[in-house]
Amino acid sequence: AHEIAQQVKSGVEAAAVNPLEAVAEAPKQLGIITEKAREEFFAKEVPFGSIIYREAKKTTVRPELVAAVVEQESRFKPNARSGAGAVGLMQLMPRTGRWMGAKDLTNPTQNIQAGAKYVKYLNERFDGNQTKVIAAYNAGEGNVKRFGGIPPFKETRNYVKKVRTYEKEYKARV
């Protein structure tokens, strides 16, 4: 917070010296301040938030989306396991985890790294269509392609709604 106050102060001083340059620079500076506040929010308010933020940024996936998937998949429990064999925070199948580079899916960092990479992969496969990305994360890429969108599975339809709701809540809280 002190660092942000210092940045605001220096911005005001710069505006007094050279108003036109300050106006041109303001959106960039505001973006930096906003992103720092976002990073700080994840670090302080979200379990495993520093890892989620860092890995999301590395893969150009929104941290709000990664956090929403983690919340829906495991409720932030690193040792979570599903009956189908999915493991860890992002409930990755072992084969998918290995494909995305994870050796130990119960390790929060490796799990989130692999999960964020997988979300990025799905994002590229579905041309950025977030609804299809979220549905594919739950029901599989093949099912989303076969049905041309959210498959007619009650679980997947509910999953997409819940992830979207969590994502909106994180955006609002940031």
Side-chain angles (χ1 to χ4, degrees), residues 74-96:
S74 70
R75 302 288 184 262
F76 299 99
K77 295 178 186 134
N79 294 319
R81 291 185 187 270
S82 77
V87 179
L89 289 166
M90 294 191 76
Q91 287 293 280
L92 292 163
M93 294 302 284
R95 185 174 175 199
T96 303

Side-chain angles (χ1 to χ4, degrees), residues 26-141:
K28 183 175 135 192
Q29 292 302 318
L30 185 59
I32 291 168
I33 291 169
T34 302
E35 201 53 42
K36 284 206 176 294
R38 191 172 174 213
E39 182 177 9
E40 200 170 288
F41 164 78
F42 276 92
K44 291 182 178 174
E45 301 293 326
V46 179
F48 305 99
S50 293
I51 300 167
I52 289 170
Y53 181 86
R54 182 182 67 237
E55 296 307 320
K57 296 307 272 181
K58 272 188 204 171
T59 56
T60 64
V61 174
R62 288 184 325 283
E64 294 85 356
L65 175 58
V66 175
V69 169
V70 172
E71 185 166 355
Q72 178 58 31
E73 289 288 351
S74 70
R75 302 288 184 262
F76 299 99
K77 295 178 186 134
N79 294 319
R81 291 185 187 270
S82 77
V87 179
L89 289 166
M90 294 191 76
Q91 287 293 280
L92 292 163
M93 294 302 284
R95 185 174 175 199
T96 303
R98 283 190 304 274
W99 176 38
M100 293 293 142
K103 291 183 180 9
D104 176 6
L105 288 174
T106 61
N107 175 300
T109 300
Q110 287 185 37
N111 191 284
I112 293 168
Q113 282 172 339
K117 283 181 190 174
Y118 186 52
V119 171
K120 178 185 172 107
Y121 164 81
L122 292 172
N123 197 44
E124 290 166 359
R125 299 293 284 179
F126 293 106
D127 299 319
N129 181 318
Q130 295 297 288
T131 300
K132 289 181 180 179
V133 168
I134 295 166
Y137 196 94
N138 175 260
E141 184 180 349

Side-chain angles (χ1 to χ4, degrees), residues 133-165:
V133 168
I134 295 166
Y137 196 94
N138 175 260
E141 184 180 349
N143 280 320
V144 173
K145 285 184 177 171
R146 183 173 338 136
F147 292 103
I150 301 174
F153 313 144
K154 187 176 182 183
E155 178 194 330
T156 303
R157 292 185 183 281
N158 287 338
Y159 180 88
V160 170
K161 282 183 200 165
K162 287 177 181 176
V163 169
R164 286 290 203 197
T165 299

Side-chain angles (χ1 to χ4, degrees), residues 6-26 29:
Q6 284 299 112
Q7 288 176 338
V8 170
K9 181 182 174 215
S10 67
V12 170
E13 289 169 353
V17 175
N18 191 341
L20 290 179
E21 187 177 308
V23 167
E25 191 67 17
Q29 292 302 318

